[in-house]
Amino acid sequence: EIIQDDKTVSITASFGLIWLNDVNDIEDTPEQLLERRLAAADKVMYEVKLSGRDAVKVCKLTSPTMLRNAATK
């Protein structure tokens, strides 16, 4: 909590993380790979926000196919 001008503001934090294992064999450009990774992390973040506040969710991606699927669903 933060108190300023006699007002209390509560702060919460949630995190969506992706864990990537050896997905470098994707035939994407570095920019496309970055976009896929960000899209997958955004999806996990959205899922954790739907589950409530002050939460962490980790999605383990162990193959290029898993990264593609996580980024597109």
Side-chain angles (χ1 to χ4, degrees), residues 17-24 26 33-34 36-38 40-41 58-64 66-68 70:
L17 307 169
I18 56 170
W19 175 355
L20 301 169
N21 280 356
D22 196 24
V23 295
N24 294 327
I26 293 179
L33 186 55
L34 177 61
R36 287 189 193 275
R37 290 175 176 176
L38 291 174
V58 178
C59 179
K60 186 175 181 181
L61 305 173
T62 58
S63 72
M66 289 180 76
L67 178 59
R68 277 191 209 96

Side-chain angles (χ1 to χ4, degrees), residues 6-70:
D6 296 325
K7 295 181 182 177
T8 301
V9 177
S10 297
I11 297 174
T12 64
S14 296
F15 300 90
L17 307 169
I18 56 170
W19 175 355
L20 301 169
N21 280 356
D22 196 24
V23 295
N24 294 327
D25 59 339
I26 293 179
E27 296 178 10
D28 288 342
T29 65
E31 293 81 14
Q32 290 170 321
L33 186 55
L34 177 61
E35 285 183 30
R36 287 189 193 275
R37 290 175 176 176
L38 291 174
D42 283 346
K43 180 183 173 207
V44 175
M45 185 65 222
Y46 182 73
E47 290 173 2
V48 79
K49 281 185 169 187
L50 288 176
S51 69
R53 294 181 175 158
D54 294 326
V56 175
K57 180 174 182 178
V58 178
C59 179
K60 186 175 181 181
L61 305 173
T62 58
S63 72
T65 302
M66 289 180 76
L67 178 59
R68 277 191 209 96
N69 291 342

